[in-house]
Structure formats: C-alpha cells, structure tokens
C-alpha cells in the first residue's frame, strides 16, 4: 500500500509539472541544444564558419533568457540552494573531466601544464567547454534569488512579489542587474550573458508570458536576414545581435505548430532534458573524431557526419540519464530520483 501511495503521489506530481510546462518553450530548448551540439563538432564549425558565427549570436543568449524566465524565486532558501547545488555538482564533475582531458589531448583549449591552481581557476572562475553556461546559470540565479529576497528573506512557498509593489520589484531587479554587472567586472561571468538571463527574469517578475513577449511569427525571419547582411552585428552584445536573439526566438517558436504529431513527443523529450545533453554531449562529439575520416571521406560537406554525430550525442546523453535512473544513481549525481523528465 505504501509503495502504491508513493507511486500515486509521484504520478500526480509528474502530471502537474507536465501541465505547467509550455510546449513551445521545450521545443525552443530542443532546437537550441541541437544547434549547440552541431557547432561543437569541430569539423562543422571549421567548415561552416559563417553559419557558426550566426548561430553563436543567438543560441546561448536565448537559452539564458529561458533560464532567467524559468528561475523559480518562490522557493524557500533551502529548496533553492539545494537546486543550485545539484546543478553545481554535475558541473563540477564534468568540468573537471573536461579540464583533465584538455591537458591530455591536442585540442584548441589544450592546457600545457595542469596544476591544482589551474584546475581550481577553471572550475570556479573561467570554465572550459560548454560548461560555462552552467557556471553562469548558477551565479546569476544566486544573485537574482538573493536580490528578490531583499526585505523578505524568510518567506518560502509564496512568491515575494505577490506582496510587493511594482516599485519594490523594480528595485530588487535593479539590484540583481547591478550585482550581475559586478560579477562581470570581476571576470566571473560575461556581462551580455548576464543581461540575457536577467531579461528573462524581468519578464517573469512582471508576469509577462514568454509567448506574449516572444510572439511566434514566421515573418520574424525577415529582420534576421536583413541584420545578418551586416557581419559586424553578428555578436550577442551588439544592437543587431540583440535583435537577432529576439526575432530568432520568435521565429523558432513559430515552427512548433508545423511539427507533425509523431515528432512532437521526441522533440519535447529532448527539450525537457537539455541538462543531460549539455553535460554529456561533449563526450560523444570528442569520440566522433574516431569515425570522422570515414564519413567525411565520402561526404566532404560533413552533413552526414553531422547528422550521425548529433544523433549519437543526443541518444547517448539520454541513455546515460536513463541508466542513471535505472541504477538509482540519479540521487547521487543529480539530487533527484529520476533525471529523465
């Protein structure tokens, strides 16, 4: 009976969480993570440099926007810090592995002399590889949460802003933004990246729905094309780059309604589990160099190589998560009974 009740409660919680999710956001996250994997393949990045520059203008900024929007400041301090801890622990493990491999393999981010000091510097100040995103996510989330608790540090399950005037919310957001700028000047985060995170947080605090702020529209690709004619604007920190982030987000969201039903659930599954792909895909993109000569040999464009590698990295990352769940390792690595959502 007890196991039945536990299962029933877990199922109820799962259904409630699924109802709260916005499918378009999960679809957006899916597209963004697949783009990240694609252009972390060295051959693809080198072969399609212009496309890489364009994608790098918007894909991680859009991810940070979503992260800021979804950051839950309604949690108690204990709950929130626990959530951050279980992002930091897998980050710590995977970043350590990445740094060690960078000292052994002849990659672009090669480290000539790995010492304890260099390792600590990479872990806490300047991460290597795609794990900088988790580093930025944790730091910005902590700053944002702390600022939103100004004046009500002990409030737990109720949103602080529900009892606050708009003036107080603006003040707290201003404090969070200033704190993020300070982190930027200290070299801990990129200031543009922090601003994108905080932009998502601002939308959430003022109750502006994500799909209202980023209205799905196919026509949004038109200004993207026009701005892209000016290569100097292909940077997330430029006015044109900010516009590209906005309009590409609107455009990608609009594509969801064209996805056939049988593909929706697999794509949404990827979108719900982007943490797994971000953590483990570098393993598979590194291993792809073993079969790269064979696939590129008959298809120099790299398209087949790209499709195979992205597929292997995606399925492999999800498989690692599934094995972790089956072997009951997820509580020790992710702080949850199940990591696959």
């Amino acid at each position: 009976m007890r196991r039945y009740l536990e299962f029933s409660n877990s199922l109820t919680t799962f259904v409630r969480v699924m109802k709260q999710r916005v499918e378009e956001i999960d679809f957006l996250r899916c597209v963004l993570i697949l783009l990240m994997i694609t252009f972390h393949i060295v051959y693809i990045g080198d072969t399609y440099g212009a496309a890489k520059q364009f994608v790098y203008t918007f894909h991680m900024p859009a991810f940070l926007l979503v992260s800021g929007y979804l950051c839950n400041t309604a949690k108690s301090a204990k709950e929130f810090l626990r959530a951050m801890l279980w992002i930091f622990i897998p980050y710590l493990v995977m970043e350590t592995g990445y740094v060690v491999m960078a000292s052994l393999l002849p990659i672009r981010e090669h480290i000539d002399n790995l010492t304890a000091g260099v390792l600590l510097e990479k872990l806490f100040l300047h991460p290597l590889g795609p794990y900088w995103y988790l580093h930025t996510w944790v730091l910005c989330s902590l700053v944002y949460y702390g600022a939103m608790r100004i004046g009500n540090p002990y409030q737990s399950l109720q949103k602080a802003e529900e009892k606050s005037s708009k003036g107080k919310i603006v003040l707290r957001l201003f404090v969070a933004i200033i704190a993020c700028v300070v982190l930027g000047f200290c070299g801990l985060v990129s200031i543009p990246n922090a601003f994108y995170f905080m932009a998502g947080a601002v939308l959430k605090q003022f109750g502006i729905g994500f799909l209202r702020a980023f209205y799905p529209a196919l026509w949004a690709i038109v200004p993207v094309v026009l701005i892209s004619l000016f290569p100097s604007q292909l940077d997330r920190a430029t006015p044109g780059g900010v516009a590209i982030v906005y309009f590409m987000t609107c455009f990608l969201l609009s594509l969801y309604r064209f996805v056939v039903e049988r593909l929706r659930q697999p794509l949404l599954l990827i979108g719900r589990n982007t943490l797994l792909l971000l953590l483990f895909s570098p393993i598979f993109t590194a291993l792809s160099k073993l079969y790269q000569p064979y696939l590129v040999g008959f298809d120099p464009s790299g398209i087949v190589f790209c499709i195979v590698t992205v597929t292997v990295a995606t399925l492999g990352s999800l498989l690692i998560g599934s094995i972790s769940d089956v072997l009951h390792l997820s509580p020790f690595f992710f702080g949850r009974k199940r990591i696959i959502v």
Side-chain angles (χ1 to χ4, degrees), residues 193-223:
N193 287 338
F195 278 170
Y196 282 110
F197 179 93
M198 286 308 304
V202 169
L203 293 178
K204 184 62 174 291
Q205 289 300 322
F206 283 97
I208 303 173
F210 197 84
L211 298 183
R212 179 183 168 194
F214 297 91
Y215 185 78
L218 286 174
W219 61 260
I221 195 63
V222 176

Side-chain angles (χ1 to χ4, degrees), residues 300-334:
S301 73
I303 301 301
V304 173
F305 174 54
C306 177
I307 293 172
V308 170
T309 301
V310 172
T311 301
V312 169
T314 300
L315 296 179
S317 299
L318 293 174
L319 179 62
I320 291 175
S322 297
I323 292 173
S324 178
D325 287 344
V326 170
L327 298 180
H328 305 291
L329 298 176
S330 295
F332 304 101
F333 194 68
F334 300 104

Side-chain angles (χ1 to χ4, degrees), residues 172-185:
R172 290 167 183 162
L173 289 171
F174 179 73
V175 170
I177 292 170
I178 294 300
C180 285
V181 171
V182 172
L183 289 178
F185 279 116

Side-chain angles (χ1 to χ4, degrees), residues 114-323:
L114 181 60
T115 63
V118 171
L119 177 60
L120 291 174
E121 185 261 338
K122 297 302 179 186
L123 290 176
F124 294 99
L125 299 178
H126 308 115
L128 293 180
Y131 304 118
W132 67 264
Y133 168 78
L134 297 178
H135 182 266
T136 297
W137 181 13
V138 170
L139 287 178
C140 289
S141 295
L142 290 172
V143 164
Y144 170 41
Y145 183 84
M148 296 311 296
R149 290 291 156 163
I150 294 175
N152 53 319
Y154 303 109
Q155 187 176 349
S156 56
L157 298 179
Q158 185 177 1
K159 290 184 180 181
E161 61 270 21
E162 289 179 356
K163 293 185 178 181
S164 302
S165 66
K166 288 187 178 180
K168 288 183 179 179
I169 294 175
V170 170
L171 176 61
R172 290 167 183 162
L173 289 171
F174 179 73
V175 170
I177 292 170
I178 294 300
C180 285
V181 171
V182 172
L183 289 178
F185 279 116
C186 292
L188 294 173
V189 300
S190 159
I191 292 178
N193 287 338
F195 278 170
Y196 282 110
F197 179 93
M198 286 308 304
V202 169
L203 293 178
K204 184 62 174 291
Q205 289 300 322
F206 283 97
I208 303 173
F210 197 84
L211 298 183
R212 179 183 168 194
F214 297 91
Y215 185 78
L218 286 174
W219 61 260
I221 195 63
V222 176
V224 170
V225 172
L226 295 176
I227 297 169
S228 299
L229 296 177
F230 304 90
S232 63
Q233 295 301 303
L234 294 179
D235 186 301
R236 68 190 67 182
T238 64
V242 173
I244 286 175
V245 172
Y246 177 79
F247 287 115
M248 275 303 297
T249 301
C250 295
F251 174 70
L252 293 175
L253 288 169
S254 73
L255 297 180
Y256 180 64
R257 67 179 183 268
F258 298 106
V259 178
V260 295
E261 191 64 34
R262 65 177 176 273
L263 290 180
R264 284 193 175 187
Q265 290 311 310
L267 294 179
L268 294 177
L269 174 68
I270 294 171
R272 293 194 301 267
N273 294 281
T274 52
L275 176 62
L276 287 173
L277 273 67
L278 189 123
L279 285 170
F280 301 121
S281 64
I283 297 173
F284 298 98
T285 54
L287 292 175
S288 69
K289 293 182 180 180
L290 297 176
Y291 57 81
Q292 175 183 324
Y294 303 102
L295 296 182
V296 172
F298 75 87
D299 175 31
S301 73
I303 301 301
V304 173
F305 174 54
C306 177
I307 293 172
V308 170
T309 301
V310 172
T311 301
V312 169
T314 300
L315 296 179
S317 299
L318 293 174
L319 179 62
I320 291 175
S322 297
I323 292 173

Side-chain angles (χ1 to χ4, degrees), residues 69-82:
Y69 183 80
L70 297 178
C71 186
N72 186 0
T73 59
K75 292 181 178 180
S76 67
K78 181 179 179 180
E79 290 176 318
F80 188 84
L81 291 175
R82 185 180 186 279

Side-chain angles (χ1 to χ4, degrees), residues 20-66:
Q20 292 173 346
R21 301 190 76 98
V22 178
E23 290 187 350
E24 287 85 352
I25 293 180
D26 284 335
F27 172 73
L28 174 65
R29 284 154 53 97
C30 170
V31 175
L32 296 175
I33 197 69
L34 294 180
L35 287 173
M36 186 208 79
I37 296 172
T38 297
F39 287 97
H40 277 176
I41 302 171
V42 175
Y43 183 85
I44 299 301
D46 290 345
T47 305
Y48 301 97
K52 179 179 179 179
Q53 184 182 10
F54 170 70
V55 169
Y56 270 48
T57 303
F58 72 87
H59 77 317
M60 295 314 288
F63 241 127
L64 288 164
L65 270 167
V66 172

